[in-house]
Amino acid sequence: MVGGGEGAFIGAVHRRALRLDGTCTLVCGAFSSDPSAAREFGANLGVDAARAYGSWQEMLEIEASLPDSERMEAVSVVTPNHLHLPIATAALHAGFHVVSDKPATISLSEARELATAVEKSGRCYVLTHTYLGYPMVREARRLVQEGVLGRVRKVYVEYTQGWLVDRLEKENKQAAWRVDPARSGPSGCMGDIGSHAHNITEFITGARMETVRAWLQCVVEGRALDDDGAVFFKMSNGATGVLTASQICAGEENFLAIRVYGEKAGLIWNQEEPNTLMIKYADGQQKRVRAGVNMPLGATALDVSRTPSGHPEGYLGAFSTLYTDFAKMVRNNMHASPGPDEIGYTPGIDAALRGMAFIEAVVDSSNADGEWRDVVNVR
Amino acid sequence: MVGGGEGAFIGAVHRRALRLDGTCTLVCGAFSSDPSAAREFGANLGVDAARAYGSWQEMLEIEASLPDSERMEAVSVVTPNHLHLPIATAALHAGFHVVSDKPATISLSEARELATAVEKSGRCYVLTHTYLGYPMVREARRLVQEGVLGRVRKVYVEYTQGWLVDRLEKENKQAAWRVDPARSGPSGCMGDIGSHAHNITEFITGARMETVRAWLQCVVEGRALDDDGAVFFKMSNGATGVLTASQICAGEENFLAIRVYGEKAGLIWNQEEPNTLMIKYADGQQKRVRAGVNMPLGATALDVSRTPSGHPEGYLGAFSTLYTDFAKMVRNNMHASPGPDEIGYTPGIDAALRGMAFIEAVVDSSNADGEWRDVVNVR
Amino acid sequence: MVGGGEGAFIGAVHRRALRLDGTCTLVCGAFSSDPSAAREFGANLGVDAARAYGSWQEMLEIEASLPDSERMEAVSVVTPNHLHLPIATAALHAGFHVVSDKPATISLSEARELATAVEKSGRCYVLTHTYLGYPMVREARRLVQEGVLGRVRKVYVEYTQGWLVDRLEKENKQAAWRVDPARSGPSGCMGDIGSHAHNITEFITGARMETVRAWLQCVVEGRALDDDGAVFFKMSNGATGVLTASQICAGEENFLAIRVYGEKAGLIWNQEEPNTLMIKYADGQQKRVRAGVNMPLGATALDVSRTPSGHPEGYLGAFSTLYTDFAKMVRNNMHASPGPDEIGYTPGIDAALRGMAFIEAVVDSSNADGEWRDVVNVR
Amino acid sequence: MVGGGEGAFIGAVHRRALRLDGTCTLVCGAFSSDPSAAREFGANLGVDAARAYGSWQEMLEIEASLPDSERMEAVSVVTPNHLHLPIATAALHAGFHVVSDKPATISLSEARELATAVEKSGRCYVLTHTYLGYPMVREARRLVQEGVLGRVRKVYVEYTQGWLVDRLEKENKQAAWRVDPARSGPSGCMGDIGSHAHNITEFITGARMETVRAWLQCVVEGRALDDDGAVFFKMSNGATGVLTASQICAGEENFLAIRVYGEKAGLIWNQEEPNTLMIKYADGQQKRVRAGVNMPLGATALDVSRTPSGHPEGYLGAFSTLYTDFAKMVRNNMHASPGPDEIGYTPGIDAALRGMAFIEAVVDSSNADGEWRDVVNVR
């Protein structure tokens, strides 16, 4: 693991996620950019002292020199965004598989560079768009694919938070790098959470967001990046939609919600109550689909379920699913995700490319006072 | 009452609404454009046969000729939109007060004509934006005014329905006139329900929607007017927002929902569960405010409450509140609504003007491929 | 109307309920036990001054002497419980139909006396167990009857309120008579609200509560009647259940909720969100059934629906349904309720008898330290 | 670990729970009563082949003979109930700490024997009453202790499931032992899930259930143990309540819900949406308390929270908390749970004793046709 030391949020989430299913083990790490802090933090985590490295360069060098049976198999990159590319490419180059936090890089050109590195290396790459790990998100995708909604026409997707309602960045490490263009990339809110909304929309509908008209705002005075935004979009399947993302919605927690409407029915899911999926039919019937290993769900949802219905699973379970998918890919030498189709279940390099293309198109459109912009089709 | 005969939806709603509080009585009507149907329908309703008129012109003429103590006091206009203006102006001219269904007219210039007629007549005019009759909507407005949210920054408002998912207009009278530009006006969905979303936003925030960027669509093939739309908007208080309205969201019922976020807290309300208002504070506290005559609410909510908490009131109650407000206005000779401030509680001619200005700006922006358009400030 | 004057709660509810559908009209009343207050209150209500009577005896005498076309048709009894019998029997005797608030009387023997009076008079009698007027309660009954749940095995029904958490009776007229055995009858909470829970259970399941084991408590010190209670029960269809009722559950509003489980599925309804009915199937499927004139519901639910789905109806609508049912009975000279089967849709004299038998059995069981007691089968 | 092999449910839950926080590691096990199945299952789990034992006796013997630094520290007992005592006592006797699934034993006398073994051994003992691991359950306890509700008067607690709606025991291993008195103990449903309801009630209120009146039923024909039950109870703090537990509520998932009402407020929590706690005040205010490391909660809730609000945690998180509590106890040589008061946060031998006393009192009362029975006060 690279990053995730003192004061980080997502590092501890990754560590719990990789442990839950027992499919991955944390064997070494460079947990901070400060070498002594990195070593101390690693030791506190219970990592073998010799493998609590002072820097990621040191980690890659030494681990690469270990015999196969002893060295780490993969690197988990949980640093601020601007370091994703150098660390991931170096790791791939050194022969390690990579799990990376999102967004994949800080630009589309960087993402293309990363894609080349993945391809050349022949190693596995997974991007932790956590929400694709939820059973009901996979079930939603299946229901759309099986035609339960009919032809999809309309999507509303939103991701609202309230934690940046004030200038938290002055005191909070998490906030500080997220609103700093040098470390976060060209977009704040839209890159951090709008990208999840984009990703889940393409995943569930199985279609691409092709064209966007965006309106990014910096609501809190003095902030260097957008903390709020809205996007009109057109999709490759003819559907249209509205995406909103905001981090200044006072009191909101982590409200990622999607509604997809077709000719025959609509489906509704939100991440704060992730074990329920509503389907509303045009004729007035409504079904409440519930998660659980014992429930009448498709195989793609059941495969990533751990408990019977009524024993709620949550965010850490979804995250863990991505690590377990990753472990399966590594063990089975699958360079693409284990899903059966084009987009796949586990977000990988395609999701990385598409995400960065989306962010750039949105920023570009907003800078052009909301002109429509195409999202580069990276495939 | 004019309109509201066989096959109409909103006529029966108006009749129940005017009866509930016992503040109004239906004494006569011209319930259909077909004279014999009008008379028969009136008789079936229990209206005095002599006052079940064959046309609204006849009704106005005869009623105006009755002695004061016998004639009707007010006219309720519940016809398709294009007839609102001629009937309302004729009624005002003949000395009657007017309650009209919304939108007020089919253009802003018509609305201005109506405003002149109202002013000249010295009579009361109420526009039935039903949702302003809900106690929790009035409470929401009070909370914003009292600064509970701090300065308002962001509004999300939406109104989604699914009833026009197919070309229902081929067989359904309700649908037919709503998608006919000659009878409905320049917009379908945005005029029919987007106008409610606009109205409730201005009411709760106490600010005007000043500028809009709109995207209207006709999703169902062959339909003459928009059945779906989205609007970015900027408000007079500096807040921005997104308004969505759609009638092709398969399975949705009547989902009008608003979220208003300020510097200190956000508030959330939706019309399908109208007796609950959530307030989420930036510090993580959350309050659930509930309707009821016994609850700790402001006077403006309590004044329009009928039952103790847990005895749910609904749509007909909200509608009835507008009639009772109207009756108060008439009895007290108040030409403006009984509310204490600029915008007022009961939607009247200002709401009529602002609503039409909004619809025209939205249509205009959409026709200009989403250029920003000012909403004419009618005051 | 008898009762329902200044400071009363249920009187105003009855008046709104009788008006909503336009099927009944308030023509006269004796609204208080104080003659001058009664006359003044009636005048304020807009009742013809000559028919705002000083006492119910006066009202019955004078109205009975009016010509058929001028006199009232029915009496609505909304006094404290101990007056229900004398007023109802006198009204029936004088040839008037009767609507009475519940419980019907203050003892089973009184209820038998009432039943005799109803039978002799040939007049209609309706007991306002409000909750049977909700469309989803009628739908629930239909689903049970059609076998959707399979054989019913288990019922949980509860009614919890918080308004008597303190000794409110010292200052509040409503509370005062409800906890006074002379005016309320042998039970406080169980008679006031437990009786609704009993009624709705028998209505939805179509079976009789045959045997009870009860535990009544007076939680607030110094109170003369139970304010809390729980009952184990056995039903005529072999099902068993638990009924709880309490008025000291601080913060609860008016939480009447029922869950009925059969061999194949369970159904869940609660009065605070009355337009939704959940069905959970043993195989894990879940349906959310929603109210509305446009929804796929049985005729018994649609017959009492007024608005399309998503336009919520509430307590006053349910109450109004009972008055409209009553008006149908009177107009069609139906002495029993218009329902198609033994128990019927509109609660009448059978519900009155069964309710009093239930209250007496519960009080008796509790007094015998929870021995099982049969509920007298009154039919 | 002893038990938890092929076809078991709770074994895999324990394994995930012990891994999540990284505070425990599975080093060995005897996963089945069939030696070869046990060894094979252990190998599949990735346990060192030499430590995938054929029986728990073998495991204890060999592990005890290993040097301190190599041997296991604790035994996790996840077998059917009748084996809990022999395995736990043998493990304690051999010097190992013990985590046991619940109920602790199959009788109170067995539980006393276990208590003696715990005391003599000086080892730690934790009983996995999972639900005490939820942050909001700990918050609920704190709120009661701090007097937010005022004096507690009333408790409603229920645990309903539907999985035994048919004679599943004929084909399902999980069901088979649970309805077999020899392996499950004197009660089926009440022992399996009613015991959780008892445990959470005593935990949140900080008071003891002292006296019970019970009604156990065997609803599904041919079943040897109760699959449904209800209990009236009186508590040491003067409160009374009703506990219901059923496994034949078709369609219910895992509905453990508790409502506690005091003089000033009520609190409401249910396990299927575990991250929300409602508080309803007598004056009509309502608060929605939400889980999350960033929320305004007490230390006892925050200590066991892993993610910010809106990133839902669930059942596995709650379960994991008990293992992490256990690890803390072991590492700090705390023989009682780490909580600050009499009952403590982590359920240990006291919870074991009290749970068995409750089950016996309930069975005894039910066998005596519902006579009141004291729950033996084991402290």
Side-chain angles (χ1 to χ4, degrees), chain D residues 38 64 102 136 151 175 239 257 290 302 306 322 335 363:
Chain D
K102 40 55 52 189
M136 302 320 275
R151 197 166 58 81
R290 292 272 297 161
L302 292 176
R306 294 171 185 84
L322 299 190
H335 298 166
V363 170

Side-chain angles (χ1 to χ4, degrees), chain C residues 174-191:
Chain C
Q174 289 309 311
W177 72 255
R178 277 185 171 78
V179 301
D180 172 5
R183 289 179 284 172
S184 187
S187 167
C189 171
M190 203 51 79

Side-chain angles (χ1 to χ4, degrees), chain D residues 12-355:
Chain D
V13 167
H14 278 258
R15 286 190 292 272
R16 283 203 169 87
L18 67 85
R19 280 193 299 255
L20 182 66
D21 286 338
T23 49
C24 303
T25 310
L26 181 69
V27 293
C28 65
F31 300 100
S32 170
S33 53
D34 168 340
S36 71
R39 291 197 188 95
E40 188 184 335
F41 192 85
N44 290 342
L45 276 182
V47 166
D48 179 354
R51 297 172 85 182
Y53 299 104
S55 74
W56 59 268
Q57 292 90 343
E58 184 191 9
M59 178 180 85
L60 292 182
E61 191 184 327
I62 299 183
E63 290 286 324
S65 71
L66 296 177
D68 262 30
S69 64
E70 288 174 32
R71 77 176 165 209
M72 68 176 179
E73 289 178 88
V75 174
S76 181
V77 184
V78 302
T79 63
N81 303 345
H82 67 301
L83 298 172
H84 290 178
L85 179 72
I87 299 171
T89 49
L92 291 163
H93 185 72
F96 300 108
H97 305 283
V98 169
V99 173
S100 171
D101 213 82
K102 40 55 52 189
T105 60
I106 59 171
S107 71
L108 177 56
S109 72
E110 275 199 13
R112 290 190 195 276
E113 204 176 317
L114 176 64
T116 305
V118 169
E119 196 175 352
K120 274 196 189 159
S121 72
R123 301 293 150 182
C124 301
Y125 174 87
V126 161
L127 185 70
T128 54
H129 273 298
T130 321
Y131 306 107
L132 303 199
Y134 278 114
M136 302 320 275
V137 171
R138 297 193 180 193
E139 183 71 2
R141 174 185 174 80
R142 183 184 75 86
L143 294 169
V144 171
Q145 280 182 323
E146 296 197 350
V148 168
L149 308 194
R151 197 166 58 81
V152 170
R153 291 163 157 184
K154 196 78 207 175
V155 178
Y156 297 119
V157 62
E158 62 183 298
Y159 198 149
T160 45
Q161 300 179 330
W163 72 299
L164 295 182
V165 70
D166 291 321
R167 287 204 60 193
L168 187 65
E169 55 264 41
K170 291 194 289 193
E171 63 204 45
N172 176 299
K173 211 170 150 178
Q174 289 310 311
W177 73 255
R178 275 185 172 78
V179 302
D180 173 4
R183 288 180 285 171
S184 188
S187 166
C189 171
M190 203 49 81
D192 193 22
I193 62 174
S195 59
H196 279 302
H198 165 263
N199 174 259
I200 202 172
T201 299
E202 295 203 338
F203 180 75
I204 289 178
T205 61
R208 292 188 307 280
M209 229 180 254
E210 284 187 331
T211 318
V212 295
R213 157 168 281 167
W215 185 22
L216 302 184
Q217 296 182 73
C218 181
V219 173
V220 173
E221 219 174 329
R223 189 162 279 166
L225 284 175
D226 56 289
D227 49 22
D228 175 276
V231 180
F232 293 159
F233 61 85
K234 300 175 188 170
M235 302 196 76
S236 57
N237 59 355
T240 63
V242 179
L243 180 157
T244 51
S246 182
Q247 296 177 310
I248 54 88
C249 289
E252 286 300 339
E253 302 176 1
N254 197 46
F255 194 68
L256 170 63
I258 185 164
R259 289 174 286 170
V260 180
Y261 298 98
E263 289 172 326
K264 299 193 298 191
L267 72 77
I268 301 174
W269 179 82
N270 95 60
Q271 190 274 151
E272 295 190 356
E273 295 187 10
N275 296 303
T276 300
L277 181 66
M278 283 298 305
I279 310 178
K280 297 183 176 180
Y281 294 89
D283 69 357
Q285 308 260 8
Q286 299 190 356
K287 283 193 191 160
R288 195 165 166 262
V289 183
R290 292 272 297 161
V293 294
N294 55 324
M295 298 302 264
L297 301 170
T300 52
L302 292 176
D303 282 353
V304 298
S305 298
R306 294 171 185 84
T307 50
S309 62
H311 300 73
E313 286 202 71
Y315 179 79
L316 293 171
F319 216 119
S320 191
T321 289
L322 299 190
Y323 269 97
T324 293
D325 281 352
F326 176 68
K328 259 186 241 168
M329 289 165 66
V330 167
R331 255 137 238 180
N332 296 295
N333 206 27
M334 296 156 73
H335 298 166
S337 92
D341 57 21
E342 190 196 356
I343 290 180
Y345 294 117
T346 311
I349 193 65
D350 284 348
L353 287 162
R354 293 207 51 73

Side-chain angles (χ1 to χ4, degrees), chain C residues 325-365:
Chain C
D325 281 351
F326 175 69
K328 260 186 241 166
M329 288 166 66
V330 168
R331 256 136 239 179
N332 296 296
N333 206 24
M334 297 157 71
H335 297 167
S337 93
D341 57 20
E342 187 195 359
I343 290 180
Y345 295 117
T346 311
I349 192 66
D350 283 348
L353 287 162
R354 294 208 49 73
M356 292 315 302
F358 166 75
I359 294 169
E360 292 207 347
V362 160
V363 170
D364 196 18
S365 168

Side-chain angles (χ1 to χ4, degrees), chain C residues 231-246:
Chain C
V231 180
F232 294 160
F233 61 84
K234 302 176 186 169
M235 301 196 75
S236 56
N237 60 355
T240 62
V242 179
L243 179 157
T244 51
S246 182

Side-chain angles (χ1 to χ4, degrees), chain B residues 123-197:
Chain B
R123 301 294 150 182
C124 301
Y125 175 86
V126 161
L127 185 70
T128 54
H129 273 297
T130 322
Y131 306 108
L132 303 199
Y134 277 114
M136 301 321 274
V137 170
R138 298 193 180 193
E139 182 71 3
R141 174 183 175 80
R142 184 184 73 85
L143 293 170
V144 171
Q145 281 182 322
E146 297 198 349
V148 168
L149 308 194
R151 196 167 57 83
V152 169
R153 292 165 158 184
K154 195 81 207 172
V155 177
Y156 297 119
V157 63
E158 62 183 298
Y159 198 149
T160 46
Q161 299 179 328
W163 72 301
L164 295 181
V165 71
D166 292 320
R167 287 202 62 192
L168 187 65
E169 55 264 40
K170 291 194 289 194
E171 64 204 45
N172 177 300
K173 210 169 149 178
Q174 289 309 312
W177 73 255
R178 277 185 172 77
V179 301
D180 173 4
R183 288 179 285 171
S184 190
S187 167
C189 172
M190 203 51 79
D192 193 22
I193 62 174
S195 58
H196 278 303

Side-chain angles (χ1 to χ4, degrees), chain A residues 283-284 286-288 295-296, chain C residues 283-284 286-288 295-296:
Chain A
D283 71 356
Q286 299 188 358
K287 283 194 191 161
R288 195 166 167 262
M295 298 302 266
Chain C
D283 70 357
Q286 299 188 357
K287 283 193 191 160
R288 194 165 168 264
M295 297 303 266

